[in-house]
Structures are given as C-alpha cells and as structure tokens.
Amino acid sequence: PERTSASTPKQRRRWLAGVLIGGPGWVLPGVVKMLGGTLLAYVALNHGVLAEQAVDPNQMYLVAYQYVFPTVGWAVAATAIFVVISQLKINVTNAYAGSLAWSNFFARLTHSHPGRVVWVVFNTLIALMLMELDLFQALGRVLGLYSNVAVAWMMTVVADLVINKPLGLSPPGIEFRRAYLYDINPVGVGAMAIASLLSVAAYVGLFGPALQPFATFIALGAALVSSPLIAWLTQGRYYIARRAEPATARAQTCCICGKDYEGEDMARCPAYQDHICSLCCSLDARCHDLCKPQARISDQWAGLLQRIFPATAQPYMDAGLGHYLLLMTGVVPFLGLLIGLLYYQEVLALTGPDAALLSHLRDAFLRAGAALLLVSGIVAWWLVLTHKSRQVAQEESNRQTRLLMQEIESHRRTDELLQKAKHTADQANQAKSRYISAISHELRTPLNSILGYAQILEGDGAIPDNRRQAVSVIRRGGEHLLSLIEGTLDIARIESGKLAMDMKPLAFPEFLGQIVGMFELQARNKGIEFHYQPVGELPALVRADERRLRQILINIIGNAVKFTSRGEVRFRLRYQREMATFEIEDTGPGIPADEMEQIFEPFARGSAAHVGATGGTGLGLTTATTT
C-alpha cells in the first residue's frame, strides 16, 4: 500500500491489473467461467437434454450455437471446432504442467534433466494409455481421492505459515534452495502423510458412513494439528540444513552452466568454491551434497535406523540392506495404495456384487499385488546393487582425483624449491662473479708493475746474463699469470652477460704466422710434428677481436700440443665465402665419452690432464666456446 500510494495513477492501475490477472485475482475470471458453464448447462436442460449429458461440452455448445447460427450444420461445425481447440489447449497445458512435476521429481531423484519436451511427450503418452484403457470413467473418483491429498498438502503449508512461524517452531523466512534444505523435513512430510491417510481412510468409508462426507475436513484438521506438533517434537531443526548466505540484489553467474540468475536463486557451493544455481545443484551427482552431508536422505535414514536397531545390526544396514529397506519402504505403500485403488474402483463399478465374486476379485488382486511386490523387490535390489557399484566407482574416482591433486601439489612444492634453489644459485654465481672481478682487478695492478719492471730489467745491458735469464723467467711467469687472470675475468664477464667484442682490422696472415711460429717451436721441443695447412687464398685484412681470437687459438692448439706425447698436430684453416673455419687434429689420448659433457664446464679437467707437462685451471675450453 505504501508503494502504490506514492506512485502515479497509471502505475496503480498496472499494479491492480497485475494483482487481478497474474495474482490471486485470477480466481475471479475462473468464477465467471464457472457461471458461464452453469448457464450453458441450464440452457441444455431447457432444450430437453438429459441431466447426465447436460455437463457434456458437446451438448452445451451445440445448444448454445443453435441460437447463433441459422442452421444446425453450422452449429455442429462451430461446436466441433471450438471443442477440438479447447481440448487441445487444455491437454497441452496439462501436459506441460505435468512435465514440470515430472522434471522436478526426476531431477531430484536421478540428477538428470533430459528436457521439458521429453516429459511433455511422456505425459501425453500416459494420457493416451489411460484413454485406451478406458480409465477416464474413474477419473472423478480418482480426483476425489487426490483432493484429500491436495487439501492435506495445502493445509500443511498453511499450518506452517500461520502457526509454526508465529510460534517460532520454524525459521521466520522461506527458504526454497535445495542447497540449504534437508531432503526430508518430518514436519511437512509427516503432517501431510498423517492428514492424507486419515482423510483417504474416511473417504473410502473405513471410519463408517457417518464420517465419509467429512473426509476433507479431517484432512484440514489433521494437518493443522500434526504440523505444529511434529515441529515442536523435532524442535524445528530439519528446516534449514546449513546457514544461508545473505542474498544479493545483483545477478550472479553460475559456475557450472555459466548463466546469470538472481541472487535469491544462487547458493555458495563448497565443492566448486563458487556460486551455483538451483538447477545445477539438483543435477550435480558428484559432490554428494558436500555442503550439507547430514541432510541427505540416506544419512537421515541411517540416523533413523541407528535409533531403531541395535549397534550390532549397523554394519548390515550400511552394507546395502538399509538402502534396500529404505527403497522398499517407499515401494510397498505405493503398490498397496495402487492395488487398493484399483480394487476400490472395480468394486464401485460392479452392479449388485455378491460375496463369491468379491472374494474372487479380492484374491485376484492379492495375487497380482504379490507378483508385483516380488518383481519390485528384485528390481529394488538390482537398483541398490547398481547404486553401490556406482558409489564404489565414484569413490575410486575421487580417490584417484585426490592422489592426482596431491601429486600436483607435490610437483608445485618441488618447483617452488627448485626455483628457490635456482635463485640461490644465481645469487651465489653473481657473488662469485663479483668476487672474481674484484680479485682480478686487485691482482692486475701489482702484476702490471712486476711485468713493467721485468721488461725494463730485461732491456738493461748492465745486467749479467745469468741474472737476465732469471728476469726472463719472472716476465714469462708474470705473463702466464696475467693470462690466467684474464681467462678467469672472461668467465665472470660471460656469466654476467657483459662480455663485449673489440672488433678492429687485423692483418690476418701475419697474425696466423705468429700463432704458427709459437707452436712450431713448442712442438719441435717436444719431439712431435706440427703441420699448418691453409686452404684457399687468405685475405690481407679481416675484422676481428684480435685478443679473443688469439686466446681461443692458443687455448685449443696449446691443449693439442700439451697432451700429445708422440705423433703430430695438424692445424687446418679453410677460408671460403668470407668464413674462416679452424680445425685442430692431434694424435693425443683423446677424450673419453663419459667426459664429453663436462669438458666445457669451468674449472673442470679430464682424466688425461696428468699427461701434459704443465698444469691448468680448466678455463681454456670454457672461454674459447663461450667467446
């Protein structure tokens, strides 16, 4: 009322039209239609139609259309068209409405949703079967029984709203999301079952003919009394299975189907760690109601069996017997109700039944019921075994999934440790490079002084020959030490990515002549042959880093001469298409296959290192290959 009073007249008219057409006001057009049907029946009776036929739509509309059309033929055609269209509309509407019930029921039971069209076709086939079996004649009596169940259900809902909630026997709000509800609430199910049984028993005459007309009122009163009583006995703890999160006004996206729904239709799913819609929650069969494990019907049934049976019988109940008893508890009453309903309809259809015929009919129905019970028991046991097999398969799948997740987590932790170790190694390598650079700089300063003074002393003519040789040894030793320092510094530069080339014009033949002259003398002193084999015409000038190229050739050729005890060393040079290829071949001991992978590592020396006359640091090949 506050909202409508503050709105415009146009908005108030729209709101009133919505209430009258889309809300409770829909009863008013229904009353008008019922009055119209009553008028048509009255007109049919005035035209001599029998009372049994006056309620037939064909007779009513035929009489009515005779007032509209001048000939009977037009009235019959209009009646046929109208009745056919009306029946199509009614049956399609009923088929669709029934499909909603079938879809909701089997979605909860089987966690499957094949689509509404499937259930519409299924409902239509049931209607055709009932029509072919000529069971519509008993439809009135069936609806009479169903009306008692419907009254029991509606009054159970009313009792919960007008009695239980004001008294605090049930939660104040209305929760319909499956993720927050128990599968079975004893308040609603129990009150409806008690009211339905009492009213149906009164309707079929089990309480005598005096109470038979009051079956509906018995359903009404039983529901109003039993609902608050059961709620008080259970203390209302079977309404909400877990605390619901406050619903948001904005739409949320379902993590399963990816569609947007209102916040009131979404629930937080702990299995998927996100929000899920009601339909996807009903269809999911893998999480086993992780959000409310105590609210599943199997757990509720197991709790009931634990209260009824002793502890020694619990293992048998958990092994499948409990599930079988639960299933048969629902199947047996349903079969009994179905057989009893058919028997009741057959008894009512008989005219003047005698005791012998009733006894024969009762025996036939008992035998049919026993056969159906036997078949149902076998099918129920098969269903239980199938469920157990599927449950075992699902548990194994979950176990494998857990193991896989554990392995993934182990790999993740291992990767983290490797990354930490790599980071630590990089830091240590950088510290080593900085230390090598610092110590090389500190060594080069005094070493350059030693080499400078050695060169001055070597050129001094006043120094005796025996002392000049000692000065020469000092100079050569200093130069060798300087080359070692330069090699170590190159390794540090390469690892830090700061090695730069000094590209300048180089007199190529003279440069190679110096290298060859150096090692020819060294090889001759060792008693081995040294062959220099250039191929092609060498250019007079090339652009290269003279110091780096000299360092590479000296390291590789020096190793060949150093580790060759007898035989020869061949130095081949092939220059083609502005590309120079150097090949060094020797008759030394070679490199074992198991050492090939580490020969280029810094400070690593092979097992043949003892062959050479001088030692080394193991940096030659490293510097040569990385440069």
Side-chain angles (χ1 to χ4, degrees):
E2 295 178 358
R3 292 180 59 187
T4 55
S5 62
S7 59
T8 64
K10 185 177 180 180
Q11 292 175 334
R12 288 198 295 270
R13 287 194 298 270
R14 288 181 178 178
W15 177 83
L16 181 60
V19 171
L20 292 178
I21 297 177
W26 185 250
V27 176
L28 299 179
V31 172
V32 174
K33 290 192 294 183
M34 293 178 65
L35 293 176
T38 304
L39 177 61
L40 293 177
Y42 174 75
V43 173
L45 290 173
N46 289 338
H47 280 71
V49 179
L50 298 177
E52 292 80 6
Q53 299 178 353
V55 295
D56 187 356
N58 297 310
Q59 298 296 330
M60 290 190 295
Y61 290 121
L62 180 60
V63 173
Y65 279 127
Q66 288 179 2
Y67 286 95
V68 179
F69 297 101
T71 60
V72 177
W74 285 102
V76 171
T79 301
I81 294 174
F82 186 79
V83 170
V84 168
I85 294 176
S86 299
Q87 290 298 316
L88 287 175
K89 180 260 182 185
I90 293 172
N91 286 283
V92 170
T93 304
N94 291 338
Y96 179 73
S99 70
L100 299 179
W102 285 112
S103 177
N104 293 335
F105 175 75
F106 278 97
R108 290 287 304 273
L109 185 65
T110 64
H111 301 287
S112 177
H113 184 64
R116 294 274 166 74
V117 177
V118 175
W119 297 115
V120 169
V121 175
F122 179 70
N123 229 25
T124 304
L125 293 177
I126 290 179
L128 291 175
M129 182 188 68
L130 294 177
M131 182 179 66
E132 293 298 328
L133 294 177
D134 197 21
L135 294 179
F136 282 109
Q137 60 179 347
L139 190 59
R141 292 186 290 270
V142 173
L143 291 178
L145 289 174
Y146 174 74
S147 64
N148 293 277
V149 179
V151 170
W153 169 61
M154 288 188 294
M155 293 313 301
T156 300
V157 176
V158 171
D160 187 75
L161 294 176
V162 303
I163 299 177
N164 296 350
K165 291 191 181 300
L167 295 179
L169 299 176
S170 65
I174 299 177
E175 182 60 71
F176 64 92
R177 291 172 293 181
R178 177 179 176 268
Y180 298 107
L181 300 176
Y182 279 87
D183 286 351
I184 297 295
N185 186 357
V187 179
V189 175
M192 178 181 171
I194 293 173
S196 299
L197 291 176
L198 292 177
S199 61
V200 170
Y203 178 79
V204 299
L206 294 181
F207 298 150
L211 293 178
Q212 194 169 9
F214 301 97
T216 303
F217 296 97
I218 292 175
L220 188 150
L224 291 177
V225 173
S226 58
S227 178
L229 179 61
I230 299 175
W232 176 72
L233 292 175
T234 59
Q235 298 180 355
R237 62 177 178 271
Y238 295 105
Y239 279 90
I240 304 298
R242 65 183 178 114
R243 181 176 299 177
E245 297 180 354
T248 58
R250 60 181 179 85
Q252 294 177 333
T253 303
C254 177
C255 63
I256 303 298
C257 63
K259 297 181 179 179
D260 294 335
Y261 297 94
E262 295 180 355
E264 291 80 1
D265 193 42
M266 303 293 290
R268 180 71 181 180
C269 179
Y272 294 99
Q273 295 296 317
D274 206 342
H275 288 87
I276 185 173
C277 67
S278 297
L279 179 59
C280 293
C281 182
S282 298
L283 298 181
D284 191 278
R286 294 172 296 177
C287 70
H288 298 290
D289 291 327
L290 184 63
C291 59
K292 50 182 184 66
Q294 80 286 354
R296 301 173 60 196
I297 186 173
S298 57
D299 294 281
Q300 291 183 274
W301 178 252
L304 179 62
L305 294 180
Q306 288 178 359
R307 298 187 186 95
I308 298 176
F309 294 97
T312 55
Q314 298 304 320
Y316 301 98
M317 300 299 173
D318 296 335
L321 180 59
H323 295 165
Y324 180 72
L325 292 176
L326 174 62
L327 190 57
M328 292 304 296
T329 301
V331 171
V332 171
F334 175 77
L335 286 179
L337 180 62
L338 179 63
I339 297 298
L341 179 62
L342 293 176
Y343 175 74
Y344 177 71
Q345 297 298 333
E346 290 297 327
V347 170
L348 293 180
L350 293 177
T351 56
D354 54 9
L357 183 58
L358 288 177
S359 177
H360 179 71
L361 185 63
R362 183 172 59 253
D363 293 340
F365 272 92
L366 287 176
R367 286 193 293 269
L372 288 176
L373 182 62
L374 177 61
V375 174
S376 301
I378 296 174
V379 173
W381 184 245
W382 174 74
L383 291 175
V384 169
L385 294 179
T386 303
H387 173 72
K388 280 294 182 181
S389 300
R390 185 167 58 249
Q391 184 178 7
V392 171
Q394 185 64 42
E395 291 176 354
E396 178 63 21
S397 176
N398 294 339
R399 188 181 70 85
Q400 294 295 336
T401 302
R402 287 194 299 270
L403 293 177
L404 179 60
M405 296 305 295
Q406 292 176 0
E407 185 175 356
I408 293 175
E409 181 63 21
S410 299
H411 283 294
R412 187 187 64 80
R413 291 196 298 267
T414 302
D415 184 66
E416 289 181 355
L417 294 176
L418 289 176
Q419 292 298 327
K420 292 179 180 179
K422 180 178 178 299
H423 182 67
T424 303
D426 291 340
Q427 289 181 337
N429 192 37
Q430 292 174 4
K432 178 197 69 176
S433 299
R434 288 193 299 268
Y435 174 75
I436 291 176
S437 300
I439 198 67
S440 298
H441 179 269
E442 296 297 328
L443 290 175
R444 284 166 59 90
T445 300
L447 187 58
N448 286 330
S449 300
I450 295 174
L451 290 176
Y453 279 107
Q455 292 175 359
I456 294 174
L457 292 176
E458 239 184 348
D460 190 358
I463 297 179
D465 294 336
N466 58 342
R467 299 300 183 189
R468 191 182 304 276
Q469 183 180 2
V471 172
S472 177
V473 171
I474 293 174
R475 183 181 61 81
R476 288 196 301 270
E479 291 176 349
H480 180 67
L481 181 59
L482 182 61
S483 65
L484 293 179
I485 294 174
E486 288 291 337
T488 305
L489 189 59
D490 284 342
I491 293 296
R493 291 170 179 169
I494 292 170
E495 289 180 346
S496 61
K498 296 180 180 180
L499 182 66
M501 296 294 179
D502 185 15
M503 307 298 291
K504 294 180 180 179
L506 172 65
F508 200 40
E510 290 78 2
F511 170 78
L512 293 175
Q514 295 175 5
I515 299 294
V516 172
M518 181 187 307
F519 288 104
E520 281 181 341
L521 179 59
Q522 186 177 348
R524 189 181 307 114
N525 293 334
K526 287 192 64 174
I528 60 176
E529 298 180 2
F530 185 88
H531 301 284
Y532 171 55
Q533 300 174 343
V535 178
E537 184 179 357
L538 300 181
L541 293 175
V542 296
R543 287 186 60 82
D545 187 335
E546 180 180 357
R547 190 170 68 87
R548 304 295 179 188
L549 183 58
R550 184 188 304 275
Q551 184 181 24
I552 293 172
L553 293 177
I554 289 176
N555 279 326
I556 298 178
I557 299 175
N559 282 344
V561 175
K562 182 191 301 183
F563 294 103
T564 302
S565 300
R566 63 178 64 88
E568 62 181 2
V569 175
R570 294 184 179 274
F571 176 35
R572 300 187 185 92
L573 171 61
R574 183 179 294 105
Y575 188 88
Q576 294 178 346
R577 298 180 181 178
E578 299 183 356
M579 178 69 68
T581 305
F582 301 93
E583 295 180 3
I584 294 90
E585 179 183 356
D586 63 74
T587 58
I591 303 174
D594 56 347
E595 297 180 2
M596 291 295 293
E597 294 183 359
Q598 64 178 5
I599 60 174
F600 298 107
E601 297 293 332
F603 307 105
R605 305 192 69 198
S607 58
H610 63 281
V611 178
T614 60
T617 60
L619 293 175
L621 290 179
T622 304
T623 306
T625 54
T626 53
T627 304

